């Protein structure tokens, strides 16, 4: 099986065949094949071998897979976090305010505002929904001179937003 994202190989790392086998099972489960639970994935341990996949990259990919499996699981099997009501989430996003970047580089105000407008439109059903993964992967232009938001504040807000979208 080919791994979706290309994983780097290090001098010592996780056994490539074991990692590929797990990723294949996860991909199958997400595409309607035999089910695999997030708990089963968390319980897997890989052997450390010469010329194996870099451990940190695999660990991050497996964490993302766990999140996807949790999102795809029937509601009764999802983690016991409270669900977030879309109306509350829309108000929270619209009421958010970020500090200016000042003399430091910051995220372009137009990019951030446009992205958050897209999230709100998706929550209202007026546009395709934005997923937690979309939020984690969004990228904004950096500005040095001009209106920019404090990057750390925006990053913290987006991390909270991704968590809230997972609980919808």
């Amino acid at each position: 099986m080919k791994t979706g994202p290309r994983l780097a190989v290090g001098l010592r790392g996780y056994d490539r065949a074991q990692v590929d086998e797990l990723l294949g099972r996860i991909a199958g489960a997400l595409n309607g094949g035999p089910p695999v639970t997030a708990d089963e994935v968390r319980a897997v341990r890989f052997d450390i071998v010469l010329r194996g996949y870099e451990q940190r990259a695999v660990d991050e990919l497996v964490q993302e897979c766990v999140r996807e499996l949790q999102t795809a699981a029937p509601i009764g099997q999802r983690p016991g976090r409270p669900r977030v009501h879309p109306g509350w989430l829309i108000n929270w996003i619209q009421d958010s305010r970020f500090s200016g970047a000042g003399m430091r580089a910051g995220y372009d105000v137009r990019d951030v505002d446009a992205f958050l407008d897209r999230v709100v439109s998706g929550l209202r059903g007026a546009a395709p929904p934005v997923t937690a993964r979309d939020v984690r992967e969004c990228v904004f232009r950096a500005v040095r001179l001009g209106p920019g938001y404090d990057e750390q504040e925006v990053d913290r807000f987006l991390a909270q937003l991704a968590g809230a979208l997972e609980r919808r």
Side-chain angles (χ1 to χ4, degrees):
M1 174 204 138
K2 287 189 88 135
T3 58
R6 194 161 180 96
L7 293 168
V9 174
L11 180 61
R12 292 179 52 83
Y14 290 142
D15 184 290
R16 296 188 307 192
Q18 292 173 349
V19 172
D20 289 344
E21 189 273 330
L22 177 65
L23 294 176
R25 286 181 49 214
I26 293 170
L30 292 171
N31 292 314
V36 176
T37 67
D39 289 334
E40 288 176 276
V41 173
R42 280 191 209 99
V44 171
R45 299 294 174 255
F46 304 112
D47 295 332
I48 306 292
V49 297
L50 291 175
R51 303 283 304 141
Y53 288 136
E54 287 186 1
Q55 296 172 35
R56 176 175 280 169
V58 172
D59 291 342
E60 289 172 1
L61 179 59
V62 168
Q63 281 298 87
E64 181 65 28
C65 290
V66 165
R67 285 190 288 271
E68 286 188 39
L69 287 168
Q70 288 174 330
T71 301
I75 290 176
Q77 295 175 7
R78 292 185 189 169
R81 296 184 296 185
R83 296 182 57 76
V84 175
H85 188 273
W88 179 88
L89 197 50
I90 289 169
N91 288 336
W92 178 63
I93 293 169
Q94 291 176 331
D95 292 343
S96 64
R97 301 287 177 260
F98 304 110
S99 301
M103 298 303 288
R104 299 181 316 265
Y107 290 138
D108 187 299
V109 168
R110 293 168 299 202
D111 287 356
V112 174
D113 290 346
F115 180 75
L116 294 178
D117 288 344
R118 200 174 106 213
V119 173
V120 168
S121 294
L123 289 168
R124 289 188 171 137
V130 175
T131 65
R133 184 178 191 166
D134 296 332
V135 173
R136 284 189 195 90
E137 294 177 354
C138 69
V139 177
F140 305 112
R141 288 178 292 182
V143 293
R144 293 200 186 282
L145 301 173
Y149 288 137
D150 181 271
E151 292 178 3
Q152 291 180 342
E153 274 187 45
V154 173
D155 289 342
R156 281 191 301 268
F157 177 81
L158 292 175
Q160 292 174 335
L161 177 59
L165 288 173
E166 286 178 334
R167 294 190 304 266
R168 280 202 39 218

